C-alpha cells in the first residue's frame, strides 16, 4: 500500500504551491512542443476525426502528480493548442477543442487520489485510462451535441482508436509517474557530499 501523505497531488490538492506552478509550466511547455511539432502529439489518421493523440498525456500526468489545479491548467493549454492547430473545422469550435479538455486532469486526479492508498502503479494506470477516456467521451459528446456527427457514426469511428489511446495513456502514465517520484525522492533526500562549510546554503 502507498502512503497517501507522500503524494503531492493528494496533499492540500486545491492549493497552488511553488512546486505546482513549476510543474504546470513544465507540462505546459511539453504540451505546446507536442502540439506544434508535426505528427508528434497529434498523429494523422485517415478517418473523420483526423488524428490520434498523446497530447493529453501531460494533462493526465499533471493531475496525477500535482493535483486538480495543475490538471486544469494543463488541460486548458492542451485545448488551446488543439484549437489553434486544428486541421478540421469542428476543432475550431472551442466547445469541442477546449471545454472537454478541462476535465481530463480533474478525472485523472480524482481516480489517482481514490486508488493511491491501494497501489500507486494501479492508481496511475487507472488515472491514465480514465483521463484518456474522459478526453474521448467528452469530445465525442460535444461533436454530437453540436451536430457535427450523428452518434452512431462518430462512436463507430472512434471506438477502437479510443481504447488504444486509453491503454497507451495508462502505460505511459505509470512510467512517467514512477520517474517523477524517483526523481523527487532523490532531490529531496540526496545526501550532501561536501563538508558543511563548503555548501552554498
Amino acid at each position: 500500500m502507498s502512503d497517501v501523505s507522500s503524494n503531492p497531488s493528494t496533499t492540500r490538492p486545491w492549493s497552488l504551491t511553488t512546486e505546482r506552478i513549476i510543474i504546470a509550466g513544465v507540462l505546459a511547455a511539453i504540451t505546446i512542443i507536442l502540439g506544434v511539432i508535426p505528427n508528434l502529439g497529434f498523429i494523422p489518421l485517415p478517418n473523420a476525426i483526423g488524428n490520434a493523440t498523446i497530447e493529453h498525456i501531460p494533462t493526465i500526468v499533471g493531475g496525477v502528480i500535482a493535483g486538480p489545479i495543475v490538471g486544469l491548467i494543463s488541460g486548458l493549454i492542451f485545448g488551446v493548442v488543439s484549437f489553434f492547430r486544428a486541421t478540421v473545422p469542428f476543432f475550431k469550435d472551442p466547445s469541442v477543442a477546449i471545454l472537454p479538455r478541462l476535465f481530463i486532469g480533474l478525472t485523472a486526479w480524482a481516480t489517482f487520489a481514490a486508488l493511491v492508498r491501494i497501489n500507486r502503479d494501479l492508481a496511475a494506470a487507472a488515472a491514465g485510462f480514465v483521463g484518456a477516456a474522459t478526453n474521448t467521451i467528452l469530445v465525442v459528446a460535444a461533436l454530437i451535441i453540436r451536430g457535427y456527427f450523428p452518434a452512431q457514426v462518430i462512436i463507430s469511428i472512434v471506438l477502437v482508436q479510443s481504447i488504444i489511446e486509453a491503454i497507451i495513456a495508462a502505460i505511459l502514465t505509470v512510467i512517467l509517474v514512477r520517474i517523477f517520484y524517483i526523481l523527487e525522492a532523490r532531490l529531496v533526500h540526496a545526501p550532501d557530499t561536501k563538508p558543511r562549510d563548503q555548501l552554498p546554503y
Side-chain angles (χ1 to χ4, degrees):
M1 298 182 77
S2 298
D3 180 4
V4 71
S5 64
S6 67
N7 292 289
S9 67
T10 57
T11 304
R12 300 179 60 202
W14 293 99
S15 63
L16 193 59
T17 63
T18 302
E19 180 186 21
R20 287 173 179 163
I21 292 171
I22 293 170
I23 291 172
V26 171
L27 292 174
I30 293 171
T31 300
I32 292 169
I33 290 169
L34 287 173
V36 299
I37 295 178
N39 304 334
L40 187 57
F42 295 95
I43 303 161
L45 291 177
N47 62 19
I49 295 297
N51 294 284
T53 187
I54 58 167
E55 181 84 1
H56 54 310
I57 300 298
T59 300
I60 293 169
V61 172
V64 169
I65 67 175
I69 294 180
V70 173
L72 189 63
I73 294 169
S74 299
L76 176 62
I77 299 297
F78 171 25
V80 170
V81 170
S82 176
F83 175 80
F84 281 108
R85 66 154 317 276
T87 57
V88 287
F90 45 82
F91 278 120
K92 286 294 187 182
D93 183 343
S95 65
V96 175
I98 298 175
L99 184 60
R101 274 62 189 265
L102 299 178
F103 297 92
I104 298 171
L106 298 179
T107 59
W109 165 75
T111 302
F112 183 78
L115 297 175
V116 69
R117 291 179 182 273
I118 301 171
N119 181 272
R120 184 182 286 165
D121 285 345
L122 171 65
F129 193 94
V130 169
T134 298
N135 179 54
T136 300
I137 291 168
L138 294 185
V139 168
V140 168
L143 289 171
I144 294 169
I145 291 169
R146 297 285 290 159
Y148 292 110
F149 291 97
Q152 63 271 24
V153 173
I154 190 63
I155 291 173
S156 64
I157 290 172
V158 304
L159 182 60
V160 174
Q161 173 185 327
S162 63
I163 293 171
I164 294 171
E165 286 182 356
I167 293 171
I168 292 172
I171 295 168
L172 289 178
T173 302
V174 171
I175 294 169
L176 294 171
V177 169
R178 275 195 171 200
I179 291 171
F180 170 79
Y181 281 113
I182 289 170
L183 292 175
E184 183 187 51
R186 288 183 177 178
L187 289 173
V188 171
H189 302 296
D192 294 329
T193 57
K194 294 182 179 180
R196 180 63 184 155
D197 57 358
Q198 294 181 22
L199 293 174
Y201 50 86

